């Protein structure tokens, strides 16, 4: 593509970050700026070893009081980030905005988190959560299927 043609296209259709909607100067296929990527709020505090709830105070035990008295059908729940602010907008763009390519930014972190909490991710079988056909047709894809 000629340089003049590319500049004209970028002027008419600027490369905007899907999260903050600022113009991205560098070539960026995934359309998320470096600043937004760095500001996605990851969970770093200690969490309950069953439900993944964050402990905001020091807890001598590794299981929250709710999980002590309740039984679940799952072994463990983990989360990469807090569902608020830029992380929420990032997830919404992936899930509802049909911008499924942006998930590639956090796949390596998800694999690292799975390995840390469950051992090697290759020891498990991952599958997607089926969607109702009407909802899938409305969105155009199943976001959980893209991750798997």
């Amino acid at each position: 593509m000629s340089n003049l043609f590319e500049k004209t296209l970028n002027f008419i259709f600027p490369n905007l970050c899907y999260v903050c909607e600022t113009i991205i100067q560098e070539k960026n296929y995934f359309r998320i700026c470096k600043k937004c990527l760095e500001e996605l709020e990851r969970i770093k505090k200690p969490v309950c070893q069953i439900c993944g709830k964050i402990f905001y105070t020091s807890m001598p035990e590794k299981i929250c009081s709710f999980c002590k008295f309740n039984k679940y059908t799952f072994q463990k729940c983990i989360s990469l980030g807090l569902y608020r602010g830029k992380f929420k907008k990032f997830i919404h763009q992936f899930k509802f905005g049909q911008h499924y390519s942006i998930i590639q930014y956090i796949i390596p972190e998800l694999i690292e988190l799975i390995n840390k909490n469950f051992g090697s991710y290759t020891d498990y079988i991952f599958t997607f959560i089926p969607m109702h056909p009407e909802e899938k047709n409305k969105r155009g894809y199943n976001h959980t299927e893209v991750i798997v």
Side-chain angles (χ1 to χ4, degrees):
M1 189 176 335
S2 76
N3 198 19
L4 179 61
F5 181 68
E6 191 173 327
K7 286 182 180 184
T8 305
L9 273 180
N10 286 336
F11 179 74
I12 298 170
F13 305 106
N15 194 11
L16 298 177
C17 173
Y18 288 136
V19 176
C20 68
E21 299 177 354
T22 59
I23 295 175
I24 301 173
Q25 298 299 331
E26 69 276 357
K27 285 188 179 182
N28 186 329
Y29 172 73
F30 300 114
R31 303 272 301 263
I32 183 169
C33 69
K34 289 177 185 176
K35 184 176 184 228
C36 285
L37 190 60
E38 290 168 2
E39 291 177 356
L40 295 178
E41 194 173 357
R42 273 68 165 196
I43 294 176
K44 293 186 169 64
K45 296 182 184 275
V47 296
C48 173
Q49 295 301 300
I50 296 174
C51 70
K53 180 181 174 183
I54 297 174
F55 294 139
Y56 289 101
T57 60
S58 75
M59 297 288 290
E61 299 180 30
K62 295 184 181 208
I63 298 173
C64 73
S65 57
F66 192 80
C67 289
K68 282 182 195 174
F69 303 105
N70 294 285
K71 299 291 179 203
Y72 301 104
T73 57
F74 59 86
Q75 178 184 0
K76 188 176 196 175
C77 184
I78 58 173
S79 179
L80 181 61
L82 296 172
Y83 190 64
R84 63 184 183 200
K86 289 189 176 189
F87 207 92
K88 183 176 181 178
K89 182 124 189 217
F90 178 86
I91 297 298
H92 272 252
Q93 288 297 326
F94 166 64
K95 194 172 174 181
F96 303 110
Q98 297 188 342
H99 305 301
Y100 55 87
S101 63
I102 65 174
I103 202 68
Q104 296 302 316
Y105 274 117
I106 62 171
I107 291 291
E109 289 181 67
L110 286 172
I111 290 171
E112 184 180 324
L113 187 65
I114 290 166
N115 287 340
K116 179 181 169 189
N117 285 277
F118 295 103
S120 174
Y121 76 95
T122 59
D123 295 339
Y124 294 88
I125 296 172
F126 294 89
T127 188
F128 61 92
I129 302 164
M131 288 179 75
H132 190 278
E134 284 181 25
E135 196 64 30
K136 187 174 180 179
N137 286 338
K138 192 165 84 173
R139 278 194 207 161
Y141 69 102
N142 180 344
H143 61 284
T144 62
E145 203 170 346
V146 172
I147 294 173
V148 176

